[in-house]
Amino acid sequence: DGTVGRGPGQVHLEQERFQEALELARQAEAEFGDRSDWSALAGLHVVKAKAQAALGDPAGAARTLLQGIERLPHELEAYTHLSWLYAVEGRAAEAGRVLQRMVHVNDDPAGYAAAVRALEAMGDGRSARAVLAEARRKWPGAAALEGLGAS
């Protein structure tokens, strides 16, 4: 079950035991095998990528997140972490394209809210306000958009 794979890995990340988190993620992937229902392991790609980045492998982290997006295109956290990874590497245009892809694939208030929060976290208030304005035009009064745009 996906929470088993994610839970321990997440705990290890929080304890900064990155190598152990990475090994748990790899073990869960190996045990999962060739099955096609990756939703059972939702979040695992993010845990694995965070561990890879913390261990000095940002390229591996990016590959892991791209694989997660391919397997689970509605898992917003993989997109936001990939965009952040690109942003801290100085790849702002790529970070923006990841978020654009996220809202294209997840064309709903939750997808747009995640993009707004990611842009705000990256310090791009102007883009965050533009995305939020677009979302509010598309879904006036959507609960997922409440409380956003304070920055």
Side-chain angles (χ1 to χ4, degrees):
D1 136 33
T3 46
V4 172
R6 183 180 181 157
Q10 186 64 42
V11 169
H12 286 85
L13 283 177
E14 291 165 5
Q15 295 172 346
E16 297 186 9
R17 294 165 48 199
F18 304 118
Q19 189 62 46
E20 291 174 61
L22 184 57
E23 290 306 317
L24 281 170
R26 287 179 176 154
Q27 180 183 355
E29 285 179 326
E31 289 173 7
F32 194 72
D34 293 330
R35 290 182 274 178
S36 60
D37 181 19
W38 281 93
S39 63
L41 294 179
L44 183 70
H45 295 95
V46 172
V47 168
K48 182 179 177 184
K50 284 181 177 181
Q52 289 171 306
L55 292 168
D57 184 11
R63 281 190 304 274
T64 295
L65 291 166
L66 286 166
Q67 183 180 60
I69 289 167
E70 182 181 317
R71 290 176 173 165
L72 296 166
H74 300 292
E75 186 178 2
L76 302 176
E77 195 176 10
Y79 293 95
T80 59
H81 278 79
L82 182 59
S83 68
W84 175 84
L85 181 65
Y86 285 160
V88 298
E89 291 182 335
R91 299 161 61 183
E94 287 175 84
R97 282 193 292 275
V98 169
L99 295 177
Q100 288 172 340
R101 178 178 174 193
M102 179 179 71
V103 297
H104 175 76
V105 173
N106 298 279
D107 188 17
D108 57 37
Y112 275 75
V116 170
R117 285 191 296 275
L119 289 163
E120 287 176 342
M122 289 186 267
D124 189 352
R126 187 168 93 36
S127 294
R129 287 187 296 278
V131 171
L132 181 58
E134 180 182 348
R136 286 184 171 152
R137 276 192 303 277
K138 291 174 94 168
W139 303 283
L145 304 174
E146 289 179 18
L148 294 177
S151 63

Tab-separated table of all heavy atoms in Angstrom, residues 30-92:
chain	number	residue	atom	x	y	z
A	30	ALA	N	10.918	-1.424	-6.210
A	30	ALA	CA	11.286	-2.787	-6.618
A	30	ALA	C	10.181	-3.773	-6.258
A	30	ALA	O	9.840	-4.653	-7.050
A	30	ALA	CB	12.593	-3.195	-5.954
A	31	GLU	N	9.608	-3.612	-5.082
A	31	GLU	CA	8.528	-4.507	-4.660
A	31	GLU	C	7.286	-4.300	-5.498
A	31	GLU	O	6.523	-5.230	-5.729
A	31	GLU	CB	8.213	-4.290	-3.178
A	31	GLU	CG	9.298	-4.809	-2.251
A	31	GLU	CD	9.064	-4.456	-0.796
A	31	GLU	OE1	7.989	-3.906	-0.466
A	31	GLU	OE2	9.966	-4.716	0.015
A	32	PHE	N	7.094	-3.076	-5.982
A	32	PHE	CA	5.922	-2.767	-6.794
A	32	PHE	C	6.029	-3.435	-8.156
A	32	PHE	O	5.036	-3.832	-8.750
A	32	PHE	CB	5.779	-1.248	-6.945
A	32	PHE	CG	4.448	-0.822	-7.471
A	32	PHE	CD1	3.308	-0.908	-6.689
A	32	PHE	CD2	4.331	-0.339	-8.756
A	32	PHE	CE1	2.080	-0.511	-7.182
A	32	PHE	CE2	3.102	0.061	-9.256
A	32	PHE	CZ	1.974	-0.034	-8.460
A	33	GLY	N	7.259	-3.556	-8.658
A	33	GLY	CA	7.491	-4.261	-9.917
A	33	GLY	C	6.929	-3.540	-11.123
A	33	GLY	O	6.955	-2.326	-11.203
A	34	ASP	N	6.372	-4.311	-12.027
A	34	ASP	CA	5.880	-3.775	-13.294
A	34	ASP	C	4.393	-3.452	-13.293
A	34	ASP	O	3.814	-3.240	-14.351
A	34	ASP	CB	6.164	-4.772	-14.423
A	34	ASP	CG	7.645	-4.915	-14.684
A	34	ASP	OD1	8.375	-3.928	-14.468
A	34	ASP	OD2	8.071	-6.005	-15.094
A	35	ARG	N	3.792	-3.424	-12.131
A	35	ARG	CA	2.362	-3.097	-12.098
A	35	ARG	C	2.129	-1.702	-12.657
A	35	ARG	O	3.005	-0.844	-12.577
A	35	ARG	CB	1.832	-3.197	-10.665
A	35	ARG	CG	1.778	-4.655	-10.192
A	35	ARG	CD	1.219	-4.728	-8.811
A	35	ARG	NE	2.331	-4.526	-7.883
A	35	ARG	CZ	2.226	-4.493	-6.578
A	35	ARG	NH1	1.052	-4.604	-6.011
A	35	ARG	NH2	3.273	-4.326	-5.813
A	36	SER	N	0.964	-1.479	-13.174
A	36	SER	CA	0.704	-0.200	-13.842
A	36	SER	C	-0.067	0.792	-12.976
A	36	SER	O	-0.151	1.955	-13.334
A	36	SER	CB	-0.059	-0.436	-15.144
A	36	SER	OG	-1.292	-1.067	-14.859
A	37	ASP	N	-0.620	0.385	-11.861
A	37	ASP	CA	-1.388	1.304	-11.017
A	37	ASP	C	-0.471	2.002	-10.019
A	37	ASP	O	-0.402	1.641	-8.851
A	37	ASP	CB	-2.508	0.555	-10.284
A	37	ASP	CG	-3.334	1.500	-9.425
A	37	ASP	OD1	-3.286	2.725	-9.665
A	37	ASP	OD2	-4.007	1.018	-8.506
A	38	TRP	N	0.249	3.010	-10.514
A	38	TRP	CA	1.203	3.725	-9.672
A	38	TRP	C	0.524	4.567	-8.599
A	38	TRP	O	1.188	5.044	-7.674
A	38	TRP	CB	2.119	4.578	-10.533
A	38	TRP	CG	3.178	3.734	-11.141
A	38	TRP	CD1	3.147	3.138	-12.371
A	38	TRP	CD2	4.393	3.321	-10.532
A	38	TRP	NE1	4.283	2.386	-12.562
A	38	TRP	CE2	5.071	2.486	-11.445
A	38	TRP	CE3	4.987	3.577	-9.293
A	38	TRP	CZ2	6.293	1.920	-11.172
A	38	TRP	CZ3	6.221	3.010	-9.023
A	38	TRP	CH2	6.858	2.187	-9.948
A	39	SER	N	-0.788	4.759	-8.693
A	39	SER	CA	-1.464	5.566	-7.664
A	39	SER	C	-1.303	4.950	-6.281
A	39	SER	O	-1.383	5.648	-5.270
A	39	SER	CB	-2.942	5.758	-8.011
A	39	SER	OG	-3.604	4.509	-8.014
A	40	ALA	N	-1.041	3.644	-6.225
A	40	ALA	CA	-0.810	2.993	-4.932
A	40	ALA	C	0.450	3.524	-4.255
A	40	ALA	O	0.584	3.414	-3.042
A	40	ALA	CB	-0.708	1.483	-5.114
A	41	LEU	N	1.343	4.108	-5.039
A	41	LEU	CA	2.585	4.644	-4.483
A	41	LEU	C	2.655	6.168	-4.617
A	41	LEU	O	3.737	6.741	-4.691
A	41	LEU	CB	3.794	4.007	-5.169
A	41	LEU	CG	3.988	2.517	-4.940
A	41	LEU	CD1	5.201	2.006	-5.701
A	41	LEU	CD2	4.128	2.203	-3.470
A	42	ALA	N	1.520	6.826	-4.619
A	42	ALA	CA	1.495	8.284	-4.725
A	42	ALA	C	2.388	8.888	-3.651
A	42	ALA	O	2.372	8.473	-2.495
A	42	ALA	CB	0.065	8.798	-4.583
A	43	GLY	N	3.192	9.848	-4.040
A	43	GLY	CA	4.085	10.528	-3.115
A	43	GLY	C	5.473	9.930	-3.040
A	43	GLY	O	6.418	10.583	-2.600
A	44	LEU	N	5.628	8.689	-3.463
A	44	LEU	CA	6.922	8.030	-3.366
A	44	LEU	C	7.982	8.742	-4.207
A	44	LEU	O	9.127	8.888	-3.778
A	44	LEU	CB	6.814	6.567	-3.798
A	44	LEU	CG	8.102	5.771	-3.674
A	44	LEU	CD1	8.432	5.558	-2.193
A	44	LEU	CD2	7.965	4.426	-4.362
A	45	HIS	N	7.602	9.210	-5.394
A	45	HIS	CA	8.559	9.894	-6.251
A	45	HIS	C	9.089	11.161	-5.574
A	45	HIS	O	10.267	11.479	-5.697
A	45	HIS	CB	7.918	10.248	-7.601
A	45	HIS	CG	7.552	9.047	-8.405
A	45	HIS	ND1	6.282	8.519	-8.366
A	45	HIS	CD2	8.271	8.269	-9.235
A	45	HIS	CE1	6.251	7.457	-9.156
A	45	HIS	NE2	7.439	7.280	-9.688
A	46	VAL	N	8.221	11.850	-4.859
A	46	VAL	CA	8.646	13.080	-4.192
A	46	VAL	C	9.608	12.755	-3.051
A	46	VAL	O	10.633	13.412	-2.889
A	46	VAL	CB	7.421	13.886	-3.690
A	46	VAL	CG1	7.853	15.066	-2.838
A	46	VAL	CG2	6.589	14.360	-4.878
A	47	VAL	N	9.306	11.726	-2.272
A	47	VAL	CA	10.198	11.314	-1.183
A	47	VAL	C	11.567	10.949	-1.760
A	47	VAL	O	12.609	11.398	-1.269
A	47	VAL	CB	9.598	10.135	-0.383
A	47	VAL	CG1	10.633	9.513	0.546
A	47	VAL	CG2	8.380	10.587	0.406
A	48	LYS	N	11.567	10.145	-2.809
A	48	LYS	CA	12.820	9.705	-3.430
A	48	LYS	C	13.599	10.912	-3.971
A	48	LYS	O	14.815	11.027	-3.761
A	48	LYS	CB	12.525	8.703	-4.548
A	48	LYS	CG	13.761	8.150	-5.218
A	48	LYS	CD	13.390	7.132	-6.294
A	48	LYS	CE	14.603	6.622	-7.035
A	48	LYS	NZ	14.217	5.715	-8.134
A	49	ALA	N	12.906	11.823	-4.643
A	49	ALA	CA	13.574	12.986	-5.228
A	49	ALA	C	14.143	13.912	-4.149
A	49	ALA	O	15.249	14.447	-4.314
A	49	ALA	CB	12.600	13.752	-6.123
A	50	LYS	N	13.415	14.100	-3.066
A	50	LYS	CA	13.937	14.938	-1.980
A	50	LYS	C	15.216	14.333	-1.409
A	50	LYS	O	16.177	15.053	-1.123
A	50	LYS	CB	12.895	15.087	-0.867
A	50	LYS	CG	11.773	16.044	-1.186
A	50	LYS	CD	10.822	16.112	0.007
A	50	LYS	CE	9.713	17.088	-0.178
A	50	LYS	NZ	8.818	17.144	1.012
A	51	ALA	N	15.230	13.027	-1.245
A	51	ALA	CA	16.425	12.357	-0.734
A	51	ALA	C	17.575	12.501	-1.728
A	51	ALA	O	18.710	12.803	-1.337
A	51	ALA	CB	16.134	10.882	-0.457
A	52	GLN	N	17.292	12.315	-3.015
A	52	GLN	CA	18.334	12.448	-4.034
A	52	GLN	C	18.920	13.864	-4.030
A	52	GLN	O	20.146	14.038	-4.084
A	52	GLN	CB	17.779	12.119	-5.422
A	52	GLN	CG	17.487	10.644	-5.616
A	52	GLN	CD	16.740	10.375	-6.900
A	52	GLN	OE1	15.691	10.962	-7.154
A	52	GLN	NE2	17.276	9.476	-7.713
A	53	ALA	N	18.061	14.860	-3.961
A	53	ALA	CA	18.538	16.248	-3.954
A	53	ALA	C	19.385	16.521	-2.709
A	53	ALA	O	20.447	17.145	-2.807
A	53	ALA	CB	17.349	17.206	-4.028
A	54	ALA	N	18.930	16.043	-1.559
A	54	ALA	CA	19.671	16.255	-0.314
A	54	ALA	C	21.026	15.557	-0.342
A	54	ALA	O	21.975	16.015	0.307
A	54	ALA	CB	18.848	15.768	0.872
A	55	LEU	N	21.135	14.476	-1.100
A	55	LEU	CA	22.391	13.730	-1.221
A	55	LEU	C	23.268	14.247	-2.364
A	55	LEU	O	24.262	13.627	-2.719
A	55	LEU	CB	22.102	12.231	-1.393
A	55	LEU	CG	21.508	11.545	-0.154
A	55	LEU	CD1	20.983	10.160	-0.502
A	55	LEU	CD2	22.554	11.472	0.964
A	56	GLY	N	22.879	15.387	-2.941
A	56	GLY	CA	23.700	16.013	-3.970
A	56	GLY	C	23.480	15.503	-5.378
A	56	GLY	O	24.367	15.631	-6.225
A	57	ASP	N	22.302	14.958	-5.647
A	57	ASP	CA	22.003	14.446	-6.985
A	57	ASP	C	20.761	15.143	-7.555
A	57	ASP	O	19.711	14.526	-7.729
A	57	ASP	CB	21.792	12.927	-6.930
A	57	ASP	CG	21.579	12.300	-8.299
A	57	ASP	OD1	21.792	12.985	-9.331
A	57	ASP	OD2	21.176	11.115	-8.342
A	58	PRO	N	20.874	16.461	-7.852
A	58	PRO	CA	19.702	17.164	-8.378
A	58	PRO	C	19.238	16.634	-9.731
A	58	PRO	O	18.041	16.628	-10.013
A	58	PRO	CB	20.149	18.622	-8.467
A	58	PRO	CG	21.640	18.571	-8.489
A	58	PRO	CD	22.027	17.335	-7.720
A	59	ALA	N	20.157	16.153	-10.566
A	59	ALA	CA	19.762	15.602	-11.864
A	59	ALA	C	18.936	14.329	-11.658
A	59	ALA	O	17.927	14.114	-12.333
A	59	ALA	CB	20.980	15.321	-12.730
A	60	GLY	N	19.351	13.483	-10.729
A	60	GLY	CA	18.583	12.285	-10.407
A	60	GLY	C	17.221	12.637	-9.835
A	60	GLY	O	16.223	11.991	-10.161
A	61	ALA	N	17.183	13.671	-8.994
A	61	ALA	CA	15.918	14.122	-8.424
A	61	ALA	C	14.971	14.586	-9.528
A	61	ALA	O	13.778	14.252	-9.519
A	61	ALA	CB	16.156	15.242	-7.408
A	62	ALA	N	15.503	15.340	-10.482
A	62	ALA	CA	14.669	15.814	-11.594
A	62	ALA	C	14.133	14.639	-12.407
A	62	ALA	O	12.943	14.608	-12.759
A	62	ALA	CB	15.457	16.772	-12.485
A	63	ARG	N	14.992	13.656	-12.690
A	63	ARG	CA	14.534	12.470	-13.440
A	63	ARG	C	13.439	11.734	-12.683
A	63	ARG	O	12.445	11.292	-13.269
A	63	ARG	CB	15.711	11.529	-13.714
A	63	ARG	CG	16.598	11.955	-14.855
A	63	ARG	CD	17.595	10.876	-15.254
A	63	ARG	NE	18.441	10.436	-14.149
A	63	ARG	CZ	19.569	11.017	-13.767
A	63	ARG	NH1	19.998	12.086	-14.404
A	63	ARG	NH2	20.275	10.529	-12.763
A	64	THR	N	13.614	11.597	-11.379
A	64	THR	CA	12.615	10.913	-10.557
A	64	THR	C	11.286	11.649	-10.597
A	64	THR	O	10.225	11.034	-10.734
A	64	THR	CB	13.114	10.783	-9.099
A	64	THR	OG1	14.267	9.923	-9.099
A	64	THR	CG2	12.054	10.208	-8.192
A	65	LEU	N	11.321	12.979	-10.485
A	65	LEU	CA	10.083	13.759	-10.508
A	65	LEU	C	9.420	13.698	-11.882
A	65	LEU	O	8.187	13.591	-11.970
A	65	LEU	CB	10.360	15.207	-10.080
A	65	LEU	CG	10.733	15.353	-8.609
A	65	LEU	CD1	11.321	16.728	-8.332
A	65	LEU	CD2	9.533	15.077	-7.707
A	66	LEU	N	10.212	13.761	-12.939
A	66	LEU	CA	9.637	13.638	-14.285
A	66	LEU	C	8.970	12.279	-14.463
A	66	LEU	O	7.890	12.181	-15.052
A	66	LEU	CB	10.718	13.860	-15.351
A	66	LEU	CG	11.152	15.309	-15.535
A	66	LEU	CD1	12.453	15.384	-16.336
A	66	LEU	CD2	10.045	16.119	-16.192
A	67	GLN	N	9.603	11.235	-13.945
A	67	GLN	CA	9.015	9.900	-14.006
A	67	GLN	C	7.709	9.865	-13.196
A	67	GLN	O	6.711	9.286	-13.638
A	67	GLN	CB	10.002	8.880	-13.459
A	67	GLN	CG	9.527	7.456	-13.549
A	67	GLN	CD	10.568	6.509	-12.984
A	67	GLN	OE1	10.932	6.612	-11.816
A	67	GLN	NE2	11.042	5.597	-13.815
A	68	GLY	N	7.706	10.505	-12.047
A	68	GLY	CA	6.494	10.566	-11.230
A	68	GLY	C	5.365	11.291	-11.941
A	68	GLY	O	4.213	10.854	-11.902
A	69	ILE	N	5.700	12.378	-12.613
A	69	ILE	CA	4.692	13.142	-13.363
A	69	ILE	C	4.137	12.299	-14.506
A	69	ILE	O	2.936	12.306	-14.768
A	69	ILE	CB	5.293	14.469	-13.861
A	69	ILE	CG1	5.508	15.419	-12.669
A	69	ILE	CG2	4.416	15.105	-14.931
A	69	ILE	CD1	6.376	16.630	-12.979
A	70	GLU	N	5.020	11.565	-15.169
A	70	GLU	CA	4.575	10.693	-16.264
A	70	GLU	C	3.632	9.604	-15.740
A	70	GLU	O	2.616	9.298	-16.353
A	70	GLU	CB	5.789	10.058	-16.938
A	70	GLU	CG	5.442	9.171	-18.112
A	70	GLU	CD	6.694	8.552	-18.724
A	70	GLU	OE1	7.699	9.257	-18.879
A	70	GLU	OE2	6.637	7.351	-19.027
A	71	ARG	N	3.986	9.021	-14.614
A	71	ARG	CA	3.186	7.928	-14.063
A	71	ARG	C	1.910	8.413	-13.392
A	71	ARG	O	0.888	7.723	-13.428
A	71	ARG	CB	4.018	7.145	-13.051
A	71	ARG	CG	5.119	6.337	-13.676
A	71	ARG	CD	5.980	5.669	-12.638
A	71	ARG	NE	6.941	4.758	-13.250
A	71	ARG	CZ	7.980	4.279	-12.628
A	71	ARG	NH1	8.201	4.578	-11.353
A	71	ARG	NH2	8.800	3.457	-13.250
A	72	LEU	N	1.989	9.556	-12.731
A	72	LEU	CA	0.857	10.093	-11.959
A	72	LEU	C	0.679	11.570	-12.295
A	72	LEU	O	1.051	12.452	-11.518
A	72	LEU	CB	1.106	9.926	-10.454
A	72	LEU	CG	1.195	8.495	-9.955
A	72	LEU	CD1	1.771	8.450	-8.547
A	72	LEU	CD2	-0.168	7.850	-9.982
A	73	PRO	N	0.108	11.881	-13.456
A	73	PRO	CA	0.032	13.278	-13.896
A	73	PRO	C	-0.852	14.175	-13.029
A	73	PRO	O	-0.816	15.387	-13.182
A	73	PRO	CB	-0.514	13.175	-15.323
A	73	PRO	CG	-1.145	11.828	-15.403
A	73	PRO	CD	-0.437	10.946	-14.435
A	74	HIS	N	-1.601	13.598	-12.110
A	74	HIS	CA	-2.454	14.422	-11.254
A	74	HIS	C	-1.880	14.609	-9.861
A	74	HIS	O	-2.518	15.196	-8.996
A	74	HIS	CB	-3.867	13.833	-11.200
A	74	HIS	CG	-4.487	13.783	-12.561
A	74	HIS	ND1	-4.832	14.908	-13.268
A	74	HIS	CD2	-4.758	12.744	-13.381
A	74	HIS	CE1	-5.307	14.566	-14.447
A	74	HIS	NE2	-5.274	13.256	-14.557
A	75	GLU	N	-0.656	14.142	-9.639
A	75	GLU	CA	0.015	14.336	-8.354
A	75	GLU	C	0.732	15.687	-8.384
A	75	GLU	O	1.838	15.823	-8.908
A	75	GLU	CB	1.005	13.199	-8.070
A	75	GLU	CG	1.598	13.312	-6.688
A	75	GLU	CD	2.546	12.175	-6.358
A	75	GLU	OE1	2.794	11.297	-7.206
A	75	GLU	OE2	3.035	12.173	-5.239
A	76	LEU	N	0.095	16.696	-7.823
A	76	LEU	CA	0.568	18.075	-7.924
A	76	LEU	C	1.931	18.283	-7.275
A	76	LEU	O	2.744	19.079	-7.753
A	76	LEU	CB	-0.460	19.018	-7.293
A	76	LEU	CG	-1.863	18.961	-7.897
A	76	LEU	CD1	-2.805	19.862	-7.122
A	76	LEU	CD2	-1.837	19.320	-9.376
A	77	GLU	N	2.195	17.573	-6.205
A	77	GLU	CA	3.435	17.769	-5.457
A	77	GLU	C	4.671	17.482	-6.315
A	77	GLU	O	5.705	18.140	-6.154
A	77	GLU	CB	3.411	16.888	-4.206
A	77	GLU	CG	4.447	17.240	-3.184
A	77	GLU	CD	4.344	16.407	-1.922
A	77	GLU	OE1	3.584	15.417	-1.880
A	77	GLU	OE2	5.060	16.746	-0.976
A	78	ALA	N	4.597	16.543	-7.221
A	78	ALA	CA	5.749	16.247	-8.085
A	78	ALA	C	6.061	17.445	-8.980
A	78	ALA	O	7.228	17.808	-9.164
A	78	ALA	CB	5.486	14.993	-8.917
A	79	TYR	N	5.041	18.077	-9.540
A	79	TYR	CA	5.255	19.259	-10.377
A	79	TYR	C	5.861	20.403	-9.567
A	79	TYR	O	6.804	21.055	-10.022
A	79	TYR	CB	3.928	19.763	-10.958
A	79	TYR	CG	3.237	18.882	-11.948
A	79	TYR	CD1	2.241	18.007	-11.539
A	79	TYR	CD2	3.517	18.962	-13.308
A	79	TYR	CE1	1.551	17.216	-12.448
A	79	TYR	CE2	2.829	18.181	-14.234
A	79	TYR	CZ	1.851	17.314	-13.792
A	79	TYR	OH	1.176	16.545	-14.703
A	80	THR	N	5.288	20.673	-8.397
A	80	THR	CA	5.766	21.825	-7.628
A	80	THR	C	7.202	21.610	-7.148
A	80	THR	O	7.998	22.548	-7.143
A	80	THR	CB	4.826	22.156	-6.452
A	80	THR	OG1	4.711	21.039	-5.577
A	80	THR	CG2	3.454	22.573	-6.961
A	81	HIS	N	7.540	20.388	-6.781
A	81	HIS	CA	8.920	20.131	-6.368
A	81	HIS	C	9.880	20.231	-7.559
A	81	HIS	O	10.994	20.735	-7.422
A	81	HIS	CB	9.037	18.774	-5.673
A	81	HIS	CG	8.638	18.838	-4.248
A	81	HIS	ND1	7.327	18.840	-3.837
A	81	HIS	CD2	9.378	18.937	-3.122
A	81	HIS	CE1	7.282	18.924	-2.532
A	81	HIS	NE2	8.503	18.992	-2.067
A	82	LEU	N	9.470	19.755	-8.719
A	82	LEU	CA	10.321	19.873	-9.903
A	82	LEU	C	10.511	21.345	-10.271
A	82	LEU	O	11.631	21.766	-10.583
A	82	LEU	CB	9.725	19.095	-11.080
A	82	LEU	CG	10.548	19.104	-12.366
A	82	LEU	CD1	11.942	18.509	-12.140
A	82	LEU	CD2	9.807	18.341	-13.465
A	83	SER	N	9.459	22.128	-10.208
A	83	SER	CA	9.595	23.549	-10.544
A	83	SER	C	10.534	24.237	-9.554
A	83	SER	O	11.372	25.050	-9.946
A	83	SER	CB	8.236	24.242	-10.598
A	83	SER	OG	7.648	24.335	-9.321
A	84	TRP	N	10.426	23.886	-8.281
A	84	TRP	CA	11.319	24.468	-7.269
A	84	TRP	C	12.768	24.058	-7.555
A	84	TRP	O	13.688	24.874	-7.477
A	84	TRP	CB	10.887	24.013	-5.874
A	84	TRP	CG	11.822	24.479	-4.804
A	84	TRP	CD1	11.808	25.689	-4.180
A	84	TRP	CD2	12.920	23.750	-4.254
A	84	TRP	NE1	12.846	25.755	-3.275
A	84	TRP	CE2	13.542	24.577	-3.309
A	84	TRP	CE3	13.434	22.475	-4.485
A	84	TRP	CZ2	14.652	24.168	-2.577
A	84	TRP	CZ3	14.547	22.074	-3.763
A	84	TRP	CH2	15.136	22.912	-2.821
A	85	LEU	N	12.984	22.788	-7.873
A	85	LEU	CA	14.325	22.287	-8.164
A	85	LEU	C	14.934	23.066	-9.327
A	85	LEU	O	16.089	23.514	-9.268
A	85	LEU	CB	14.267	20.793	-8.488
A	85	LEU	CG	15.583	20.096	-8.791
A	85	LEU	CD1	16.497	20.096	-7.570
A	85	LEU	CD2	15.325	18.668	-9.244
A	86	TYR	N	14.161	23.257	-10.390
A	86	TYR	CA	14.645	24.026	-11.525
A	86	TYR	C	14.923	25.470	-11.119
A	86	TYR	O	15.923	26.066	-11.535
A	86	TYR	CB	13.641	23.990	-12.676
A	86	TYR	CG	13.586	22.686	-13.441
A	86	TYR	CD1	12.472	22.375	-14.202
A	86	TYR	CD2	14.628	21.765	-13.427
A	86	TYR	CE1	12.397	21.190	-14.929
A	86	TYR	CE2	14.562	20.577	-14.143
A	86	TYR	CZ	13.446	20.298	-14.896
A	86	TYR	OH	13.380	19.131	-15.609
A	87	ALA	N	14.056	26.057	-10.325
A	87	ALA	CA	14.231	27.452	-9.912
A	87	ALA	C	15.515	27.645	-9.120
A	87	ALA	O	16.264	28.598	-9.367
A	87	ALA	CB	13.020	27.918	-9.103
A	88	VAL	N	15.800	26.753	-8.174
A	88	VAL	CA	17.021	26.915	-7.371
A	88	VAL	C	18.277	26.662	-8.201
A	88	VAL	O	19.354	27.116	-7.825
A	88	VAL	CB	17.032	26.051	-6.087
A	88	VAL	CG1	15.902	26.444	-5.159
A	88	VAL	CG2	17.019	24.579	-6.394
A	89	GLU	N	18.128	25.978	-9.327
A	89	GLU	CA	19.258	25.777	-10.244
A	89	GLU	C	19.391	26.939	-11.235
A	89	GLU	O	20.225	26.908	-12.126
A	89	GLU	CB	19.092	24.469	-11.018
A	89	GLU	CG	19.231	23.230	-10.162
A	89	GLU	CD	19.119	21.946	-10.963
A	89	GLU	OE1	18.485	21.949	-12.043
A	89	GLU	OE2	19.677	20.935	-10.505
A	90	GLY	N	18.526	27.951	-11.086
A	90	GLY	CA	18.581	29.098	-11.976
A	90	GLY	C	17.901	28.867	-13.312
A	90	GLY	O	18.150	29.593	-14.275
A	91	ARG	N	17.042	27.880	-13.378
A	91	ARG	CA	16.355	27.520	-14.622
A	91	ARG	C	14.898	27.982	-14.540
A	91	ARG	O	13.972	27.186	-14.602
A	91	ARG	CB	16.460	26.018	-14.839
A	91	ARG	CG	17.911	25.568	-14.977
A	91	ARG	CD	18.126	24.090	-14.750
A	91	ARG	NE	17.410	23.237	-15.678
A	91	ARG	CZ	17.416	21.912	-15.604
A	91	ARG	NH1	18.097	21.290	-14.661
A	91	ARG	NH2	16.741	21.207	-16.471
A	92	ALA	N	14.725	29.298	-14.409
A	92	ALA	CA	13.397	29.875	-14.174
A	92	ALA	C	12.405	29.555	-15.290
A	92	ALA	O	11.242	29.262	-15.022
A	92	ALA	CB	13.506	31.385	-13.985
